[in-house]
Amino acid sequence: SQKIEQNSEALNIQEGKTATLTCNYTNYSPAYLQWYRQDPGRGPVFLLLIRENEKEKRKERLKVTFDTTLKQSLFHITASQPADSATYLCALDSRQAGTALIFGKGTTLSVSS
Amino acid sequence: GAVVSQHPSRVICKSGTSVKIECRSLDFQATTMFWYRQFPKQSLMLMATSNEGSKATYEQGVEKDKFLINHASLTLSTLTVTSAHPEDSSFYICSARPGLAGGPRETQYFGPGTRLLVL
């Protein structure tokens, strides 16, 4: 069955450093992969989408890579700030029109000043 | 960006009662809406997919008679938890996918979630 793993349940870094979060998947070949941010008690907020034919995507301080050979995506936050502290979710599509996303458990990032 | 609202944001009810949660897309038409459930420190788990004007498709293990979904219009879907029990206490989140005129097909916009506590 399809499986998504976000390797670290929690990641603690200092302000100004680059945070790198990992998402691995098995038994699956997604057409695209998305990253979301979720704050406690709130719904997920879309950050970035990367397609299977794209290697890298950037948006301001965020960068996502997608390696379909390794079946892995890396999510980077550069020059991290305490406001970046949240849970970050990796999500894959189901390749079928109209179907939902499959989510990983998330990595909770804490950025200390 | 597109906005999805949920109402209520928090509800406490007695065991055996029914609770209705509304999900609205405020500034776009949603041909497809999804309902997820999230337990503490767990990922979002898809419960069902609803398309406007047709019956919802439920995921394996989700009781369709217990979790009634109605997608009556292109901007509103409702989830009714019937005869709620304490084990139904969870965080329920909806998402909406815009129609062809509303942006890329892959885009989903999530509501803020509804916290249900069944006593």
Side-chain angles (χ1 to χ4, degrees):
Chain A
S1 62
Q2 300 161 359
K3 193 175 178 183
I4 303 173
E5 281 187 355
Q6 292 188 246
N7 292 5
S8 300
E9 189 172 315
L11 179 64
N12 300 308
I13 63 168
Q14 277 202 312
E15 183 176 9
K17 302 290 186 185
T18 296
T20 299
L21 285 66
T22 306
C23 175
N24 294 292
Y25 57 93
T26 56
N27 299 327
Y28 196 56
S29 295
Y32 56 86
L33 184 148
Q34 302 187 33
W35 283 89
Y36 287 81
R37 169 181 173 142
Q38 186 176 26
D39 290 287
R42 307 291 297 174
V45 174
F46 172 76
L47 295 175
L48 279 169
L49 178 152
I50 187 166
R51 301 178 193 280
E52 60 180 336
N53 60 349
E54 296 175 318
K55 296 291 185 187
E56 183 178 298
K57 207 80 169 280
R58 290 176 185 260
K59 180 182 175 183
E60 298 173 355
R61 294 186 294 112
L62 308 180
K63 184 178 87 171
V64 171
T65 62
F66 194 8
D67 189 326
T68 55
T69 303
L70 291 178
K71 294 186 181 293
Q72 181 181 79
S73 174
L74 298 179
F75 177 78
H76 306 272
I77 305 175
T78 58
S80 59
Q81 304 165 0
D84 296 326
S85 299
T87 297
Y88 292 87
L89 304 171
C90 162
L92 306 180
D93 75 295
S94 306
R95 276 199 180 273
Q96 293 173 276
T99 55
L101 299 170
I102 305 168
F103 282 87
K105 282 189 177 181
T107 296
T108 298
L109 174 67
S110 295
V111 181
S112 55
S113 54
Chain B
V3 178
V4 174
S5 71
Q6 277 184 246
H7 178 78
S9 58
R10 187 184 297 258
V11 58
I12 301 173
C13 68
K14 291 183 179 178
S15 186
T17 60
S18 294
V19 174
K20 181 188 279 189
I21 302 170
E22 291 187 350
C23 176
R24 293 182 184 272
S25 55
L26 298 184
D27 51 2
F28 65 97
Q29 292 187 328
T31 54
T32 306
M33 287 184 167
F34 305 94
W35 286 96
Y36 294 84
R37 181 166 53 181
Q38 187 177 33
F39 292 105
K41 295 192 183 294
Q42 297 296 312
S43 184
L44 281 75
M45 296 301 295
L46 179 67
M47 299 175 66
T49 301
S50 77
N51 292 295
E52 186 265 339
S54 62
K55 286 186 179 180
T57 303
Y58 290 81
E59 294 300 301
Q60 194 173 9
V62 178
E63 300 174 57
K64 60 182 178 183
D65 294 330
K66 180 170 184 63
F67 298 99
L68 301 179
I69 290 172
N70 185 359
H71 194 159
S73 76
L74 286 172
T75 59
L76 173 64
S77 176
T78 60
L79 167 68
T80 301
V81 183
T82 62
S83 187
H85 288 97
E87 57 266 29
D88 298 324
S89 299
S90 188
F91 192 49
Y92 292 86
I93 307 172
C94 73
S95 72
R97 174 172 277 162
L100 289 176
R105 190 186 73 80
E106 306 90 350
T107 307
Q108 279 190 44
Y109 300 99
F110 283 82
T114 296
R115 176 75 60 191
L116 171 64
L117 177 60
V118 184
L119 301 176

